[in-house]
């Protein structure tokens, strides 16, 4: 069928041009995981919660958003923190800043506007 040929052609292109390799962390259309296998018809990702995702190579190749997360060892992480309406926001910011201060050497920028919106 046409899908089989599309997956085969995409698999050959991925194997020849190697935009990623086994061990890389990818985000393929929102599916995030570590590449465990690159085969002719599919690419397999292992998620952080140990699930295995099989993605047809045509979907990988035609992906609107194929992001190789291992190209840069630094990653941005957003952690939403919710508080009640009566929370002292200045105190909450101070507590968070003190909690993350020991990890400041991992940051490229320490600008506070990057920490709090």
């Amino acid at each position: 069928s046409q899908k089989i040929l599309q997956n085969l052609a995409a698999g050959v292109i991925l194997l020849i041009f190697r935009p990623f390799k086994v061990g890389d962390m990818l985000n393929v259309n929102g599916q995030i995981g570590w590449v465990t296998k690159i085969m002719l018809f599919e690419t397999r990702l292992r998620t952080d919660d140990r699930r295995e995702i099989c993605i047809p190579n045509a979907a990988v190749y035609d992906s609107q958003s194929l992001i190789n997360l291992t190209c840069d060892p630094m990653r941005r992480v957003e952690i939403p923190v919710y508080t009640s309406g009566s929370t002292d926001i200045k105190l909450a910011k101070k507590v968070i800043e003190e909690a993350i201060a020991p990890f400041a050497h991992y940051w490229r920028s320490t600008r506070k506007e990057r920490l709090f919106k």
Side-chain angles (χ1 to χ4, degrees), residues 33-51:
W34 299 93
V35 178
T36 58
K37 289 184 181 178
I38 306 168
M39 298 177 285
L40 276 179
F41 295 99
E42 67 183 33
T43 295
R44 293 189 183 181
L45 304 180
R46 171 91 51 192
T47 64
D48 283 338
D49 61 356
R50 310 294 294 161
R51 291 181 297 139

Side-chain angles (χ1 to χ4, degrees), residues 11-29:
V12 170
I13 290 169
L14 292 174
L15 289 168
I16 290 173
F17 292 106
R18 301 238 181 235
F20 53 85
K21 63 187 180 307
V22 171
D24 283 355
M25 180 180 247
L26 300 182
N27 179 337
V28 181
N29 290 328

